[in-house]
């Protein structure tokens, strides 16, 4: 008999069926990963398995018992769930947060017992959060915060763990750490794990079983070898994928871009020697928030007319560098030249005509439609008299079409999914029609095909319109493929910079992320492909 | 209205372009503005017919243009028109300032009366009435009190830039402090001395003269064009500070400009009518509900609706209740339940 099972499960939000006809059997002691495009119902399925959502029909059985007939604390002692985008309580320390994981084990009004303290201690160690135990959760970086939540789940000490995108906001090194943690929990402690992942390669590397979902239904189910095939992936995401086999470890999947873009090194090299415009020249820059210095004495050149990617671990100062050169954040000292003129000497409006910046996370006002949001990008070139020129109208239509938003144009932004919202923000930045575009993790919340769509637009903006692109990317293989120039940062300093073939090499990966890796060549583009080694 | 336009196959917006200008007009908002102007004129004429000397609309119309017997002229032109006019301009000023404050704070539950500007003005006015027993200089003194309070709130909420949330919290703090001082004044002095002050705190446009119409009206005429121009950056500001900056909007100076205009409008209203609650809070909501997100057109509509609301409240307070009440009592009586309803709604949609 299976450990966790779903029978004829259907889940709906209001009138929309998200998951239907779901039959699922999870064996004890296995790692199962659910994959699929944005909005396919993966997270919804996970939520209904953990009793966060009530199904419209069907049952969920845990050890043969209907979870809806069990008490809340009995369910919580048996399964723990890591949700996406949990809210961060104010002013509580990591240790206090982790201790909350013991709640289902505590008796009414009892303080933490010795056993509880041991569990908290062990959870902190497993998640590598011991050194941050007294820090406030709301002051941690995105990656650290994610690990704090994972630690809380570990303290719950449940035999079954449900993880909804546990690697969001984590860099390569921490992704690997979390994946290793999952393997360790499974192999050494025999815990059963069910998770949702966006990254198919990670999923394949740790899972015993993959379940591929599309439109609320399972379309493939089996071992990673059975599921990670060109046929399954292209029907799952509607995009062509290449699967690379290499000696040590599972196969690697890479989505193919709409543009085939073989590039020879000499071609790119010559661009670097004679860039179309001087780009950014940053010298002796000091960045940070208040007393907290992130970069001290940073000197870097970002060539004009090319696509540059900034890579590096969480909290290495990549986003801060981007925000500082985009003048969203004040610098401590130093000089930033854009096309030979000092950025701080330009008026706000003039700067907004020169560069657009797509940031991470923003407010969404009520009732604002997608079209309203995208139109806001016209602001820097509008005057009192020129409020809606033909150019504005043309740009907005073009951006809506490019970003596949035409059908969503009258939808309130608050109703969109994470991936759709990200596309709307990106459309707003390209409507600004500036010669330089700064993008801070533009592919967050996007599934692989949407990531490729967006980066293909970025590529076109550079190759067809000659725009300078500077972007922070977490995915190294996408960075290698789309960028002409890569800057690798660690602890606020530039560790390596140059062509992808010069930066994506094992030595740099070890220095920047502290991981061992092997590098293949992507046959379609001639660019490097990094595969972390598992030890 | 939206259905009306789509039903007759019309686009909701129309673009006007020339060689040196281009503009997109929202026809729905325009239609609503025209409708509100018509309703406002009719309501004003109707309200003037009511009172101890009943008149017909015809008589009111003629007397307005100077025809009729001297008694009707006196009633219409010297007694009733100023009061009606004051209701409209003060209602408009309150609603406009509410819209500006809600935009700047990115919070629909903010208005000048909630963040303490009215309370600050009240302390000054009550002290002035009790201590000097003179009401002639009252509007000027109250105006200064409101402006000083707004400045104090702005300065206290400044911490590397004015944070909207901090401003609300500081404002609520200032508001309860001012309320305590007001209560102290009212308890300390004998009843006959505080009576006019108590009446003032209820908010009233009783006994308005043409001065009470002209000065607030002039303030609206001067500030409205700037406020309309500020609506576009304000709209971008609703997307967050970083987006605002990357769109090339000077954040702090725009914010300061909106606060100055909002304070001027709120202060002139409280100076001439005393603290009138809830108009500034609820009218911008009504405008957004019927006309969509903030824009120059919606701002004008907000002003018109504010005028209508205060005029209706004043007319009800004066003529349709067993006893005549100060208008502030009626707006609070209607506004408070509406406020609770809004809270309930915003809760249930979360």
């Amino acid at each position: 008999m299976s450990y966790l099972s779903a029978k004829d499960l259907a889940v709906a939000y209001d009138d929309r069926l998200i998951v239907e006809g779901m039959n699922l059997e999870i064996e004890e002691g296995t790692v199962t990963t659910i994959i699929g495009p944005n909005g396919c119902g993966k997270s919804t399925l996970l939520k209904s398995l953990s009793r966060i959502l009530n199904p419209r029909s069907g049952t969920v059985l845990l050890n043969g018992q209907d979870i809806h007939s069990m008490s809340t604390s009995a369910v919580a002692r048996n399964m723990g769930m890591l949700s996406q985008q949990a809210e961060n309580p104010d002013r509580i320390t990591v240790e206090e947060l982790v201790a909350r994981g013991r709640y289902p084990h505590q008796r009414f009004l009892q303080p933490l017992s010795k056993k509880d303290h041991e569990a908290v201690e062990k959870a902190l160690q497993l998640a590598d959060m011991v050194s941050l135990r007294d820090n406030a959760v709301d002051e941690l970086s995105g990656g650290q915060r994610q690990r704090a939540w994972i630690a809380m789940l570990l303290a719950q000490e449940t035999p079954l763990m449900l993880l909804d995108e546990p690697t969001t906001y984590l860099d390569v090194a921490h992704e690997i750490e979390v994946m290793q943690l999952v393997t360790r929990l499974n192999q050494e402690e025999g815990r059963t794990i069910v998770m949702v992942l966006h990254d198919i390669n990670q999923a394949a590397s740790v899972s015993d079983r993959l379940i591929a979902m599309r439109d609320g239904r399972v379309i493939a189910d089996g071992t990673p070898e059975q599921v990670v095939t060109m046929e399954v992936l292209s029907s799952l995401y509607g995009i062509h994928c290449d699967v690379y086999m290499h000696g040590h470890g599972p196969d690697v999947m890479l989505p193919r871009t709409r543009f085939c873009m073989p590039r020879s090194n000499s071609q790119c090299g010559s661009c670097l020697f004679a860039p179309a415009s001087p780009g950014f020249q940053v010298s002796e820059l000091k960045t940070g928030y208040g007393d907290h210095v992130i970069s001290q004495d940073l000197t870097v050149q970002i060539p004009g007319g090319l696509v540059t990617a900034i890579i590096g671990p969480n909290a290495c100062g990549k986003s801060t560098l981007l925000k500082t050169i985009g003048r969203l954040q004040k610098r401590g000292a130093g000089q930033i030249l854009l096309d030979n003129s000092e950025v701080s000497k330009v008026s706000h409006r003039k700067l907004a005509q020169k560069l657009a910046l797509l940031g991470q996370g923003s407010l969404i006002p009520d009732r604002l439609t997608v079209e309203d949001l995208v139109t806001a990008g016209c602001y820097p070139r509008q005057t009192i008299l020129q409020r809606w020129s033909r150019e504005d109208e043309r740009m907005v239509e073009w951006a809506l079409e490019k970003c596949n938003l035409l059908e969503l144009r009258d939808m309130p932004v608050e109703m969109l999914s994470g991936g759709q919202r990200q596309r709307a923000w990106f459309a707003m930045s390209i409507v600004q029609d500036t010669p330089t575009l700064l993008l801070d993790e533009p592919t967050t919340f996007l599934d692989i095909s949407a990531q490729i769509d967006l980066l293909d637009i970025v590529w076109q903006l550079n190759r067809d319109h000659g725009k300078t692109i500077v972007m922070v990317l977490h995915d190294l293989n996408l960075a290698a493929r789309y960028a002409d120039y890569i800057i690798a940062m660690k602890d606020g300093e530039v560790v390596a910079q140059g062509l992808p073939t010069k930066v994506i090499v094992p030595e740099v990966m070890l220095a920047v992320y502290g991981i061992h890796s092997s590098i293949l060549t992507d046959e379609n583009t001639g660019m490097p492909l990094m595969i972390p080694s598992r030890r | 209205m939206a259905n009306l336009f789509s039903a007759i196959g019309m686009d909701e917006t129309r673009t006007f372009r020339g060689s040196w200008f281009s503009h997109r007009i929202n026809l729905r908002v325009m239609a609503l503005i025209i409708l509100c102007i018509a309703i406002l004129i009719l309501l004003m004429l109707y309200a003037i017919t009511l009172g101890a000397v009943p008149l017909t609309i015809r008589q009111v119309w003629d007397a307005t243009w100077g025809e009729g017997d001297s008694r009707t002229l006196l009633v219409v032109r010297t007694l009733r028109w100023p009061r009606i006019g004051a209701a409209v301009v003060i209602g408009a000023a309150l609603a406009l300032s509410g819209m500006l404050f809600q935009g700047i704070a990115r919070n629909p539950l903010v208005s000048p009366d909630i963040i303490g500007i009215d309370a600050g003005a009240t302390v000054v006015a009550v002290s002035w009435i009790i201590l000097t027993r003179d009401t002639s200089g009252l509007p000027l003194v109250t105006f200064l009190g409101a402006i000083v309070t707004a400045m104090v709130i702005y300065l206290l909420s400044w911490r590397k830039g004015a944070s909207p949330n901090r401003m609300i919290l500081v404002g609520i703090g200032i508001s309860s402090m001012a309320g305590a001082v007001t209560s102290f004044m009212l308890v300390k002095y004998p009843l006959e001395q505080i009576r006019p002050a108590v009446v003032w705190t209820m908010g009233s446009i009783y006994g308005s003269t043409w001065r009470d119409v002209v000065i607030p009206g002039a303030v609206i005429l001067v500030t409205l064009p700037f406020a309309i121009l500020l609506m576009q950056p304000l709209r971008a500001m609703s997307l967050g500070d970083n987006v605002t900056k990357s769109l090339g909007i000077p954040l702090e100076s725009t914010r300061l400009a909106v606060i100055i205009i909002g304070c001027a409008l709120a202060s002139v209203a409280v100076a001439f009518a005393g603290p009138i609650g809830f108009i500034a809070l609820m009218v911008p909501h009504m405008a957004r509900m019927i006309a969509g997100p903030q824009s120059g057109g919606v701002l004008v509509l907000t002003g018109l609706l504010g005028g209508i609301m205060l005029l209706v409240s004043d007319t009800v307070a004066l003529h349709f209740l067993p006893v005549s009440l100060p208008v502030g009592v009626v707006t609070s009586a209607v506004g408070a339940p509406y406020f609770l309803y809004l809270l309930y709604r915003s809760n249930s949609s979360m």
Side-chain angles (χ1 to χ4, degrees):
Chain A
M1 192 185 69
S2 63
Y3 184 55
L4 179 72
S5 62
K7 287 202 169 44
D8 286 326
L9 198 66
V11 194
Y13 286 124
D14 299 328
D15 295 331
R16 250 177 56 228
L17 268 178
I18 309 289
V19 172
E20 51 182 316
M22 179 64 66
N23 282 299
L24 203 63
E25 311 262 303
I26 309 276
E27 302 298 324
E28 190 162 5
T30 58
V31 177
T32 308
T33 303
I34 308 168
I35 58 172
N38 285 138
C40 72
K42 321 182 277 291
S43 300
T44 307
L45 173 62
L46 212 60
K47 279 185 199 155
S48 56
L49 290 178
S50 68
R51 219 177 78 164
I52 291 176
L53 282 181
N54 283 330
R56 170 156 296 182
S57 61
T59 49
V60 178
L61 302 179
L62 180 68
N63 272 329
Q65 201 182 350
D66 186 345
I67 56 168
H68 287 275
S69 68
M70 296 163 76
S71 76
T72 315
S73 64
V75 172
R77 278 195 296 270
N78 281 297
M79 61 163 108
M81 164 97 178
L82 177 75
S83 298
Q84 243 179 65
Q85 299 157 1
E87 278 178 41
N88 290 293
D90 269 356
R91 291 164 209 287
I92 101 164
T93 66
V94 170
E95 189 172 351
E96 283 162 355
L97 179 72
V98 176
R100 287 191 187 177
R102 296 302 298 168
Y103 186 77
H105 299 273
Q106 277 170 269
R107 289 229 210 95
F108 189 56
L109 290 178
Q110 289 296 303
L112 291 176
S113 67
K114 190 155 167 278
K115 194 163 155 268
D116 292 330
H117 280 295
E118 281 166 12
V120 169
E121 213 54 46
K122 193 173 158 205
L124 286 169
Q125 274 169 17
L126 280 171
D128 190 20
M129 291 299 284
V130 178
S131 60
L132 294 167
R133 62 190 306 159
D134 294 325
N135 289 42
V137 177
D138 52 348
E139 288 168 8
L140 300 178
S141 79
Q144 292 166 336
R145 209 177 278 175
Q146 188 72 10
R147 271 154 54 213
W149 284 102
I150 293 175
M152 177 183 131
L153 185 64
L154 291 173
Q156 212 176 318
E157 294 197 315
T158 54
L160 171 64
M161 294 171 74
L162 305 173
L163 312 173
D164 194 357
E165 302 203 20
T167 56
T168 323
Y169 299 118
L170 298 183
D171 65 50
V172 177
H174 285 120
E175 268 174 24
I176 294 172
E177 242 171 61
V178 169
M179 289 299 113
Q180 284 172 344
L181 180 62
V182 165
T183 311
R184 207 158 63 231
L185 289 170
N186 173 246
Q187 289 173 356
E188 289 170 19
E189 306 196 8
R191 300 208 200 175
T192 310
I193 291 160
V194 182
M195 56 184 172
V196 166
L197 282 178
H198 259 313
D199 190 319
I200 291 155
N201 297 328
Q202 277 173 12
S205 72
V206 296
S207 313
D208 300 307
R209 175 180 172 198
L210 290 185
I211 296 172
M213 275 181 76
R214 189 185 170 103
D215 301 330
R217 291 175 176 281
V218 172
I219 64 162
D221 185 350
T223 62
E225 290 73 30
Q226 290 167 332
V227 175
V228 183
T229 61
M230 281 185 230
E231 295 74 43
V232 172
L233 293 177
S234 47
S235 66
L236 190 60
Y237 292 103
I239 187 170
H240 283 291
C241 294
D242 293 313
V243 177
Y244 289 83
M245 279 168 268
H246 67 119
H248 30 272
D251 302 345
V252 174
M253 185 284 310
L254 195 65
R256 197 181 290 172
T257 84
R258 308 265 194 275
F259 302 98
C260 234
M261 39 181 160
R263 285 177 287 162
S264 65
N265 273 337
S266 59
Q267 192 187 336
C268 286
S270 63
C271 300
L272 285 184
F273 292 119
S277 62
F280 285 99
Q281 287 161 296
V282 177
S283 44
E284 289 158 27
L285 184 70
K286 183 178 164 190
T287 63
Y289 304 83
D291 296 334
H292 180 55
V293 176
I294 292 174
S295 291
Q296 185 98 41
D297 207 16
L298 185 74
T299 297
V300 68
Q301 277 225 341
I302 300 172
L306 297 181
V307 181
T308 301
I310 307 176
I311 59 168
N314 289 135
C316 73
K318 352 179 249 302
S319 295
T320 309
L321 173 63
L322 204 69
K323 280 190 218 152
T324 311
I325 63 176
R327 221 173 76 180
L328 280 194
Q329 203 171 315
K330 286 203 177 83
R331 65 186 105 166
Q335 203 182 28
I336 303 165
L337 300 181
L338 172 58
D339 296 340
N340 296 326
S341 59
E342 171 57 48
V343 169
S344 63
K345 298 231 165 69
V346 187
S347 76
H348 287 276
R349 201 179 163 83
K350 279 267 160 8
L351 190 70
Q353 292 168 358
K354 286 182 171 203
L355 62 86
L357 196 148
L358 171 67
Q360 285 178 34
S362 268
L363 298 173
I364 306 285
D366 282 357
R367 281 190 283 267
L368 188 85
T369 65
V370 170
E371 188 175 347
D372 287 337
L373 177 66
V374 176
T375 306
C378 299
Y379 184 82
R381 58 173 177 273
Q382 287 172 336
T383 62
I384 292 176
L385 293 172
Q386 292 283 2
R387 280 287 176 83
W388 184 238
S389 64
R390 272 176 227 291
E391 178 65 11
D392 290 342
E393 189 169 350
R394 199 183 59 74
M395 284 304 295
V396 169
E397 290 301 321
W398 173 79
L400 287 173
E401 195 212 311
K402 273 278 168 206
C403 299
N404 205 4
L405 290 166
L406 282 174
E407 280 162 25
L408 299 173
R409 64 190 303 162
D410 294 323
M411 281 269 279
V413 181
E414 57 193 346
M415 308 264 284
L416 303 184
S417 78
Q420 293 167 330
R421 250 183 228 194
Q422 186 68 13
R423 266 155 45 204
W425 283 107
F426 177 69
M428 186 192 110
S429 326
I430 64 176
V431 162
Q432 241 176 294
D433 195 21
T434 51
T436 302
L437 203 54
L438 308 180
L439 309 170
D440 193 359
E441 299 197 23
T443 55
T444 326
F445 300 120
L446 300 182
D447 64 46
I448 55 167
S449 77
Q451 286 181 6
I452 294 294
D453 285 343
L454 186 138
L455 289 171
D456 280 350
I457 301 171
V458 169
W459 176 265
Q460 277 180 303
L461 287 173
N462 171 261
R463 290 306 194 259
D464 301 345
H465 303 266
K467 293 185 192 299
T468 305
I469 314 276
V470 187
M471 55 186 175
V472 168
L473 277 185
H474 260 314
D475 189 316
L476 296 174
N477 293 335
L478 290 177
R481 180 191 271 187
Y482 284 96
D484 300 301
Y485 194 74
I486 294 188
I487 297 171
M489 288 180 70
K490 191 188 182 182
D491 298 334
E493 282 170 30
V494 173
V495 178
Q497 53 184 316
L499 301 174
T501 45
K502 297 277 176 341
V503 177
I504 307 291
V505 293
E507 301 79 60
V508 176
M509 294 300 107
L510 186 63
V512 173
Y513 294 105
I515 55 167
H516 293 276
S517 56
S518 50
I519 307 291
L520 305 180
T521 301
D522 177 355
E523 289 147 20
N524 290 318
T525 59
M527 286 295 134
L529 199 58
M530 196 273 302
I531 289 143
S533 319
R534 303 190 72 215
R535 281 166 307 137
Chain B
M1 275 308 256
N3 302 336
L4 185 83
F5 278 97
S6 50
I8 56 172
M10 252 169 89
D11 216 4
E12 217 176 276
T13 60
R14 182 168 289 178
T15 307
F16 297 92
R17 290 198 180 105
S19 55
W20 48 273
F21 75 98
S22 59
H23 224 98
R24 187 157 52 158
I25 304 283
N26 188 326
L27 295 177
R28 195 154 77 92
V29 175
M30 277 297 144
L32 284 167
I33 288 174
I34 293 166
L35 186 70
C36 280
I37 292 176
I39 292 175
L40 186 60
I41 291 173
L42 289 176
L43 270 176
M44 287 198 292
L45 291 175
Y46 170 68
I48 292 175
T49 63
L50 301 172
V53 185
L55 298 168
T56 61
I57 290 208
R58 177 88 229 173
Q59 281 174 304
V60 170
W61 184 258
D62 290 342
T64 305
W65 304 110
E67 287 168 33
D69 58 274
S70 62
R71 187 161 147 275
T72 314
L73 281 181
L74 173 80
V75 168
V76 171
R77 296 180 75 175
T78 316
L79 298 180
R80 292 191 188 166
W81 257 119
R83 178 174 183 143
I84 302 299
V88 172
V89 290
I90 287 165
L94 284 169
L96 290 171
S97 80
M99 183 78 160
L100 293 172
F101 275 105
Q102 288 174 7
I104 205 77
R106 295 184 197 123
N107 187 329
L109 299 180
V110 168
S111 68
D113 43 324
I114 285 178
I115 67 164
I117 293 175
D118 280 19
T122 305
V123 169
V124 176
V126 166
S127 311
W128 181 265
I129 294 170
I130 291 175
L131 299 177
T132 68
R133 303 188 197 184
D134 165 38
T135 52
S136 59
L138 196 57
L140 182 66
V141 174
T142 319
F143 184 77
L144 290 176
I147 292 284
V148 168
T149 314
M151 273 167 51
V152 169
I153 295 169
Y154 188 71
L155 290 177
L156 286 179
S157 52
W158 185 277
R159 206 181 237 184
K160 294 175 193 160
S163 130
N165 279 340
R166 212 175 140 79
M167 204 171 89
I168 298 167
L169 290 175
V170 167
I172 289 171
I174 297 272
S175 180
S176 57
M177 252 166 61
V181 176
T182 306
S183 303
F184 171 75
M185 295 295 292
L186 293 180
V187 171
K188 183 162 184 285
Y189 287 91
L191 199 59
E192 61 275 20
Q193 242 169 304
I194 63 163
R195 210 184 137 71
V198 172
V199 173
W200 187 90
T201 59
M202 289 177 193
S204 142
I205 46 172
Y206 181 76
S208 298
T209 61
W210 279 111
R211 186 193 66 169
D212 303 335
V213 184
V214 172
I215 297 176
V219 171
I220 291 178
L221 281 183
V222 171
T223 52
L224 191 60
F226 293 101
I228 290 174
L229 288 181
L230 282 167
M231 285 318 277
Q232 197 162 9
L234 206 55
R235 202 168 161 163
M237 276 166 98
S238 66
L239 300 170
D241 287 359
N242 279 347
V243 177
T244 311
K245 282 193 220 160
S246 57
L247 288 174
I249 296 162
L251 192 63
E252 291 305 339
S253 49
T254 310
R255 200 173 264 167
L256 188 62
V258 174
I259 288 176
I260 289 173
I261 293 177
C263 280
L265 289 164
S267 306
V268 78
V270 71
F272 284 95
I276 291 179
F278 289 105
I279 294 275
L281 177 73
M282 61 186 207
V283 173
H285 280 284
M286 290 169 51
R288 281 191 299 258
M289 272 178 199
I290 61 176
Q294 51 191 13
S295 68
V298 175
L299 185 75
V300 174
L301 186 69
T302 306
L304 289 168
L305 282 174
I308 292 175
M309 281 299 293
L310 194 60
L311 179 58
V312 169
S313 302
D314 182 53
T315 308
V316 170
L318 198 61
H319 304 296
F320 293 100
L321 295 175
V323 282
S324 295
L325 285 173
V327 63
V329 177
V330 174
T331 60
S332 294
V334 178
Y338 180 74
F339 186 74
L340 293 174
Y341 164 74
L342 275 180
L343 278 173
Y344 170 75
R345 248 180 65 115
S346 66
N347 235 343
S348 61
S349 71
M350 266 195 289

